[in-house]
Structures are given as structure tokens and as C-alpha cells.
Amino acid sequence: MDESTKDQSAFASPDSMASLDFAKMALESANVGIWVMDAESRNFTPSDRTKELFGFASHEEMSFDDAVSRIAEKPRQAFLSIVDNAFKLRTSFYAECPVVIPPDRKTEWLSVTGGFNTSDKTNNYFSGIIVNITEQKQNDLRRSKFIGIVSHELKTPLTALKAYVQMLNTWAKKQKDNFSLGALSKVDRQVKKMLNMINSLLNLSSAEAGKIHLNKQAFSVNDLIHQVIEETMFVTSSHNITIDECPDVNIIADRDKIEQVIVNLLSNAAKYSGKDEPIEVACTIENNAITISISDKGMGISQEDIEKLFLPNYRAETKEIEKIAGFGIGLYLCSEIITQHNGRIWVESALGQGSTFSFSLPL
Ligand code: ADP
């Protein structure tokens, strides 16, 4: 077998060689790496380009563990859980990870896509592609730095505005001026909405720079959920939010950040479901962890979109979603916050039937 066909042997039967030659040519010109792995034996076959992307020479052996050892230490475990989960459930996955390339320890960003090869009878082969996305990541970082600066500037006058609204509110109450009280309550609602948006943008820029700081304290999950529901009903009065009785436990976590996660999930449930449709919040304790779930009866999400939902700026590409305003950063932030707490966030959904977003935190 000559060198140029060596890479393909793991992927092809002889009669499919011609089309594979074609596919290989296209992938090489696009600088895309390919790989195959036997899910049973974990035998890993990378293409030359895949080796190169992980900083190995084409003549060197590179096992799956060798490749993983080049992923930066912090996100390595998260990457392995994504792959293990896809192996277990036989689903496809998409992950973006920084790899550290010797000898000068330069960081490059790779996107890794994988899925089961359903045409293979043994149904054991997992294969996928790898692309270098460093340039795109650097642009994202520059953009989020800019967003961080602008949001910070916008927050200062808005915080002052909020304080003045509160002062005027107290004054109007004393004067029993109902017209002003009504108008101020509307102003307050809009200021709160805008502050929520600005806080999300600020957190996005910290998350992308890997700088989410947690300020942990003990608090009651039950109290937090009730407070968030009350405030969400104030801003989003169109939905009926109900709560299954939540066990009264304290957890040690960053209260403001967990609040932000619940606010995001609740406002998405309202945003992506019809007016007056019910939203349910449930809370369970199992295996020394608390799980909070938020269910809606809205438009639901396709399997293909579910895999990418927690990536920054990702929005499902449907006609319905296009009509609804959003930046696609809320779920990314939720996932960053929950991962920082050593928790887990996931979604179960079916198109047209609704979605349940859940997250669990260790007790
Ligand atoms: P945004 O809502 O601003 O677009 P998010 O990160 O909160 O950003 O959500 C990302 C995408 O996930 C949304 O654009 C939408 O496609 C999908 N999504 C999130 N929550 C729901 C939900 N409850 N029902 C249906 N789709 C949802």
C-alpha cells in the first residue's frame, strides 16, 4: 500500500476507494483532519493532518490518549466527558478545545466533530473531522473584549438611573401619586431588562477570557427559586409559572450566578413558547446532588441543534427562531457557570412538543 492510501485503509472497502480518494482530496485542500476510532477497543486511527493538528509528525504514532494529553489541562476533563457520553449514547458530538503544542507550548484551537458510522455493520466505528479554528477564536476574543468594555460603560449610567427610579418611587408613594407610580413601575421593568442584558454581555466577555470568578456562600435553593419566579413574572407576565415543591436545602455556590442561570432558563422557556403556555419548575435530590429542571410546552429543539446549543453565539436555524430576538449567549453562559461549579447542564426536547432544561449541582 503506498503512503497516500495508507490513511484510508481503516475507513474503506476497496469498492468505495474511488469516492474516498475524492473525499480525501477535498478534506486535504480544506486542511481538515480525519480520524476513526473503534468504540470497543478504543483503537484510534488519525490521518496525517490530524496528527499535525495535535503537533505530531506524520511518521509518529499518535494514540487517542496522546492526542488528549495535548488538550489544555483545564478543559481536558470536559472534553473527555463529551466524548464518553457520545460513545455511551451512540450520538454525535461537537467540541472546541485549546491544544498546547510543543516545543514552544503555543496554543491552537481545534474543533472536533464525531459520530457513529451507521453504514458500518458492526456499528462500532466512531469517526469525525478536526479543524483548526484558532483565527476564529482570536477574533471572538477580540470581539468579547470590546463587548466587555462597552457593557461596562453602559452599566454605570443605568445603575444611576435605577437608583433615581427608586427614589422617585418612594416620593410618589408619599404623595399618593398613582399615575407616577404606574409609570415608574414600567420604567423599572425596562431598566431591569436592560441591566440583565448588560450583565449577560459582561459575563460573556469574562467567560470567553476564562475568567468567571465565583463568590461562593451558603443559601437556600428554595428561596432563590421563589425569588426568581416572582421577579420573572414581574418582567414576563405572559406565562403561568408553577413550581413543584422544592426540598429545603442549602447549597454552597455563587448565588448571583446560579440566579442568572435560572433567570436565563426561565426567560428562554417564556421566549420560545406561546403566550399563556405553562412553564414548570421542578427540583429533586438524588446521589448527593440537587437537580433543577425548567420545562416548557413550546417549539422544542431538533437533535442536531441540541448538540451545539451550549456553544457561544449558537441559535437554532429555523424560521421561527429568526423572528425571536437573541444573541445565542445565554445557554453558553449557563453551561460555563454550571461547569465551574462542577455541575452538569443538559436538555431533553422534541420538536413541536417543548423542552426541559435541567442542571444539577453537588450538595
Ligand atoms: P438566545 O435565546 O439569545 O438566542 P440562548 O443561548 O439562551 O440564546 O439560546 C440559544 C438557542 O437555543 C436559542 O436561539 C434557541 O434556538 C434555543 N433555545 C433555548 N432555549 C429554548 C427553549 N426553551 N425552547 C426552544 N429552543 C430554545
Side-chain angles (χ1 to χ4, degrees), residues 52-72:
E52 214 180 285
L53 287 166
F54 281 93
F56 288 84
S58 54
H59 63 269
E60 283 181 291
E61 289 287 323
M62 184 184 84
S63 67
F64 179 68
D65 289 345
D66 291 334
V68 169
S69 71
R70 293 269 157 104
I71 296 177

Side-chain angles (χ1 to χ4, degrees), residues 24-306:
K24 193 183 175 222
M25 232 165 62
L27 289 167
E28 270 174 7
S29 24
N31 263 341
V32 172
I34 43 180
W35 58 273
V36 171
M37 189 157 162
D38 184 324
E40 290 277 305
S41 66
R42 298 263 169 150
N43 204 355
F44 183 64
T45 313
S47 72
D48 288 353
R49 175 70 186 142
T50 297
K51 289 184 191 173
E52 214 180 285
L53 287 166
F54 281 93
F56 288 84
S58 54
H59 63 269
E60 283 181 291
E61 289 287 323
M62 184 184 84
S63 67
F64 179 68
D65 289 345
D66 291 334
V68 169
S69 71
R70 293 269 157 104
I71 296 177
E73 209 176 318
K74 240 174 142 187
R76 196 180 298 153
Q77 202 46 49
F79 173 80
L80 282 174
S81 324
I82 293 175
V83 177
D84 276 348
N85 211 28
F87 269 33
K88 249 186 250 144
L89 304 173
R90 307 227 151 202
T91 53
S92 42
F93 77 89
Y94 176 87
E96 293 180 352
C97 44
V99 292
V100 184
I101 310 285
D104 52 0
R105 301 191 55 77
K106 196 172 161 227
T107 299
E108 298 278 340
W109 276 86
L110 304 182
S111 75
V112 187
T113 312
F116 268 93
N117 190 345
T118 44
S119 60
D120 170 63
K121 285 196 192 75
T122 61
N123 202 16
N124 255 348
Y125 281 105
F126 212 60
S127 57
I129 59 168
I130 304 192
V131 180
N132 189 323
I133 52 164
T134 310
E135 211 178 304
Q136 178 196 327
K137 275 282 165 190
Q138 279 166 348
N139 284 339
D140 287 354
L141 223 60
R142 273 193 284 273
R143 187 214 51 199
S144 72
K145 239 185 182 168
F146 172 74
I147 291 176
I149 295 167
V150 173
S151 329
H152 193 78
E153 293 300 313
L154 287 173
K155 199 173 166 176
T156 318
L158 213 55
T159 312
L161 196 63
K162 191 165 181 253
Y164 281 114
V165 170
Q166 272 163 6
M167 268 164 58
L168 280 172
N169 202 40
T170 315
W171 172 256
K173 258 188 205 152
K174 266 194 201 145
Q175 302 297 314
K176 297 195 168 61
D177 178 351
N178 286 337
F179 173 76
S180 299
L181 277 173
L184 284 168
S185 148
K186 286 188 180 117
V187 175
D188 198 30
R189 243 181 238 210
Q190 299 305 324
V191 170
K192 267 202 182 120
K193 265 192 185 173
M194 217 150 147
L195 271 173
N196 275 345
M197 277 189 242
I198 290 176
N199 279 335
S200 291
L201 289 172
L202 268 173
N203 283 325
L204 170 75
S205 87
S206 322
E208 290 198 327
K211 285 188 200 149
I212 288 195
H213 293 296
L214 298 184
N215 187 7
K216 290 191 181 180
Q217 52 174 311
F219 63 89
S220 150
V221 181
N222 195 18
D223 288 354
L224 176 65
I225 292 179
H226 279 93
Q227 176 209 314
V228 175
I229 291 181
E230 209 173 288
E231 282 170 14
T232 310
M233 300 250 256
F234 175 66
V235 183
T236 318
S237 48
S238 55
H239 289 73
N240 183 23
I241 307 175
T242 54
I243 172 166
D244 260 12
E245 222 26 73
C246 180
D248 198 10
V249 284
N250 274 2
I251 58 167
I252 297 173
D254 187 320
R255 194 179 193 278
D256 289 348
K257 299 240 163 28
I258 299 300
E259 175 180 342
Q260 201 192 333
V261 172
I262 305 174
V263 168
N264 262 330
L265 298 182
L266 272 179
S267 45
N268 275 352
K271 208 158 93 170
Y272 298 109
S273 64
K275 203 170 168 290
D276 295 331
E277 270 177 328
I279 296 173
E280 275 173 32
V281 183
C283 205
T284 49
I285 292 184
E286 219 175 50
N287 299 332
N288 218 21
I290 183 159
T291 301
I292 296 160
S293 304
I294 292 160
S295 308
D296 64 66
K297 299 257 181 282
M299 60 182 68
I301 309 159
S302 71
Q303 188 56 39
E304 202 183 311
D305 286 321
I306 284 179

Side-chain angles (χ1 to χ4, degrees), residues 264-265 267-273 294-296 298-301 305 308-311 313-318 321 324-334 347 349 354-357:
N264 262 330
L265 298 182
S267 45
N268 275 352
K271 208 158 93 170
Y272 298 109
S273 64
I294 292 160
S295 308
D296 64 66
M299 60 182 68
I301 309 159
D305 286 321
K308 297 184 178 170
L309 228 50
F310 295 99
L311 293 172
N313 299 110
Y314 190 80
R315 306 199 75 211
E317 283 169 7
T318 65
I321 299 280
I324 303 170
F327 299 114
I329 56 173
L331 289 181
Y332 165 67
L333 283 176
C334 292
V347 57
S349 182
S355 314
T356 300
F357 280 85

